[in-house]
Amino acid sequence: MACIPGLNPTKTLGTISSSSSSVSSINKNLLFSISANSDFKIAQIKKQKLPRICTVMATKQQHHQQDELNLNALTNSDRRDEVIIAAKSSLSNCLSETNLHLTIPALKSKTRGKVRDIYDGGDYLVLVTTDRQSAFDRVLASIPFKGQVLNDTSLWWFNQTQHIAPNAIIAVPDKNVTIAKKCSVFPVEFVVRGYVTGSTDTSLWTVYKNGVRNYCGNALSEGMVKNEKLPANIITPTTKAADHDVPITPDEIVKQGLMSQTDYDEASRKALNLFEYGQRVASQHGLILVDTKYEFGKGPDGSVLLIDEVHTPDSSRYWLAHSYESRFQNGLEPENIDKEFLRLWFKDHCNPYEDKVLPDAPEELVMELAWRYIFLFETITKSRFQILEIKEPLHDRITRNVAEALLSLQN
């Protein structure tokens, strides 16, 4: 096992957890996987300042696309059965809400996002990724293991993409937590799209079928159909108004003072490069990265930093590559492994934008989504997701790990 530098040259990225685990190789073509070995003590943290991120390197680099990934791997496997059983037993232990500002004196305040609870730690932000499932700007359910999957997935991608965009990550003290540099966050989401698809009000297919031919500054040709690949990847930025996303053009972003032209140009360039890289990696693993969103902030030194999450099942849409072309030619929906099926269920059973009370998500859909999140993580990273043994309440574990990490950062 070899250790490589953490995500940012001036800091190292580490993990501190109450449980230790070993890295499990899935096959001989393993590119590399992040070790979950995280049984660090506070004395070790002080000695090393921050631990390093550890990786297991494959004996051979993977240069060619792997065997075709098909739907059978998603719907019928021993691993799926194992995850479904574990998810059912963890339904009552989902992390739906945190209140670390009440248990850790060093944290000054809490901001509740759709999925993340964000705490002000002075020079740092503590981001806790919960199991909340969001769509239509609403919380639909809590999904077992989701917060851990998102944190693990983002960590993997942050490590892979630091050559494209520096990021704000300082440390990962818990499977559900990231500590980041405090940045001035740009109030713009960079939504990057490669296909005409989607079901929400701001999705490209929804606005296109309603007759829009210039969307967020992008000219769209006539005659396109749902799920068609765009001639080139595009950015459709959004900003926030109340509790929903609002499409906006690059010119409007600059005119409204949301970003300077220089910052917008740099962030948009990084967003397109990140997406192109993500598409290449996904393709090597039998997937299509359809669309995603990025967020950026300005660090204390004025640099534009990648923040939030990267290419997770929450922020991104993935399709199975091997069947896309034939299904598209026959007018069928692509085989997908994202959360679209849950969005469609709510659209079929209520008005998720206007109904004050939403129906409960069916348990079988909650279990399926838990599995799909893990399936995506394992498919892309070629590492085995660690289902932690429940030794203490999640909130207690997170409180202890975050408190120790903040103490080490202050010393």
Side-chain angles (χ1 to χ4, degrees):
M1 181 177 295
C3 288
I4 64 173
L7 303 182
N8 297 297
T10 56
K11 297 282 185 178
T12 52
L13 176 66
T15 56
I16 312 161
S17 176
S18 59
S19 301
S20 62
S21 70
S22 60
V23 175
S24 176
S25 299
I26 288 190
N27 58 44
K28 65 180 180 181
N29 291 322
L30 177 65
L31 182 60
F32 71 87
S33 63
I34 295 174
S35 171
N37 184 12
S38 53
D39 198 11
F40 293 106
K41 301 300 182 183
I42 194 69
Q44 293 175 295
I45 299 171
K46 290 179 178 179
K47 180 179 179 181
Q48 301 177 11
K49 294 301 182 184
L50 286 173
R52 292 173 176 263
I53 188 170
C54 294
T55 63
V56 174
M57 303 302 295
T59 56
K60 293 183 179 180
Q61 288 284 347
Q62 177 182 353
H63 294 291
H64 303 289
Q65 183 169 331
Q66 295 184 337
D67 293 338
E68 288 185 345
L69 183 68
N70 58 55
L71 196 60
N72 188 60
L74 177 66
T75 58
N76 297 290
S77 68
D78 292 340
R79 180 58 172 162
R80 180 184 186 277
D81 294 341
E82 177 185 355
V83 170
I84 292 294
I85 291 172
K88 284 184 177 180
S89 66
S90 297
L91 270 174
S92 61
N93 197 43
C94 285
L95 188 67
S96 301
E97 195 73 38
T98 66
N99 289 291
L100 299 186
H101 60 305
L102 303 179
T103 56
I104 302 176
L107 298 180
K108 302 175 182 179
S109 63
K110 170 186 174 181
T111 301
R112 187 182 191 274
K114 296 175 185 176
V115 175
R116 286 168 181 79
D117 292 339
I118 304 170
Y119 297 91
D120 185 343
D123 293 333
Y124 311 104
L125 290 180
V126 176
L127 300 91
V128 183
T129 309
T130 72
D131 296 327
R132 297 192 294 264
Q133 182 63 47
S134 173
F136 309 105
D137 298 307
R138 306 277 295 272
V139 174
L140 305 181
S142 290
I143 310 298
F145 314 129
K146 181 192 168 184
Q148 181 185 337
V149 176
L150 294 187
N151 216 43
D152 283 352
T153 302
S154 283
L155 176 61
W156 191 88
W157 281 108
F158 275 128
N159 189 61
Q160 294 298 292
T161 59
Q162 55 187 322
H163 66 289
I164 300 173
N167 57 74
I169 309 305
I170 297 295
V172 181
D174 184 273
K175 284 293 188 179
N176 287 74
V177 181
T178 293
I179 297 178
K181 297 177 185 176
K182 186 176 286 187
C183 300
S184 176
V185 179
F186 298 123
V188 175
E189 289 190 353
F190 286 74
V191 182
V192 188
R193 306 177 187 275
Y195 294 77
V196 184
T197 193
S199 61
T200 64
D201 286 352
T202 57
S203 72
L204 191 54
W205 171 244
T206 299
V207 299
Y208 186 85
K209 73 177 180 179
N210 289 336
V212 175
R213 293 298 178 268
N214 193 302
Y215 189 49
C216 299
N218 299 284
L220 305 172
S221 60
E222 294 289 345
M224 300 190 77
V225 298
K226 188 179 183 184
N227 303 324
E228 182 176 348
K229 182 175 175 59
L230 290 163
N233 297 328
I234 63 173
I235 297 177
T236 59
T238 64
T239 186
K240 299 292 183 182
D243 294 324
H244 61 282
D245 297 338
V246 178
I248 190 170
T249 68
D251 287 344
E252 290 170 336
I253 289 172
V254 175
K255 288 179 181 179
Q256 294 179 21
L258 302 178
M259 299 181 70
S260 69
Q261 186 67 60
T262 299
D263 287 341
Y264 178 82
D265 289 345
E266 181 176 351
S268 60
R269 182 176 63 254
K270 291 181 187 298
L272 287 170
N273 289 339
L274 286 165
F275 188 66
E276 181 183 353
Y277 178 81
Q279 286 182 312
R280 290 202 307 269
V281 173
S283 178
Q284 291 169 0
H285 298 83
L287 299 169
I288 295 174
L289 176 59
V290 180
D291 49 42
T292 194
K293 64 96 175 172
Y294 306 105
E295 294 188 45
F296 296 92
K298 182 167 283 191
D301 62 354
S303 59
V304 175
L305 301 176
L306 179 62
I307 62 174
D308 198 45
E309 59 185 322
V310 187
H311 300 161
T312 70
D314 248 21
S315 65
S316 313
R317 192 190 318 266
Y318 288 94
W319 293 338
L320 300 186
H322 86 285
S323 61
Y324 163 73
E325 190 61 37
S326 62
R327 293 182 69 86
F328 174 72
Q329 294 298 332
N330 287 284
L332 300 174
E333 287 293 310
E335 294 177 330
N336 68 80
I337 43 176
D338 52 42
K339 61 183 180 181
E340 182 70 5
F341 72 93
L342 187 64
R343 282 197 290 246
L344 292 175
W345 185 90
F346 275 92
K347 285 197 73 173
D348 289 342
H349 291 82
C350 64
N351 185 331
Y353 287 108
E354 297 180 6
D355 291 352
K356 291 183 178 180
V357 179
L358 300 181
D360 291 335
E363 183 176 307
E364 61 270 21
L365 296 189
V366 170
M367 298 302 99
E368 178 64 25
L369 191 53
W371 158 238
R372 290 187 179 212
Y373 274 54
I374 291 174
F375 178 84
L376 266 175
F377 170 81
E378 295 186 340
T379 299
I380 290 174
T381 69
K382 294 302 163 190
S383 61
R384 191 174 180 85
F385 177 76
Q386 180 191 14
I387 299 176
L388 297 177
E389 181 182 350
I390 301 174
K391 296 181 178 180
E392 60 184 319
L394 285 180
H395 200 280
D396 291 351
R397 185 197 77 197
I398 291 171
T399 295
R400 175 169 47 78
N401 288 335
V402 171
E404 290 180 354
L406 291 176
L407 179 61
S408 73
L409 288 169
Q410 294 168 0
N411 295 333

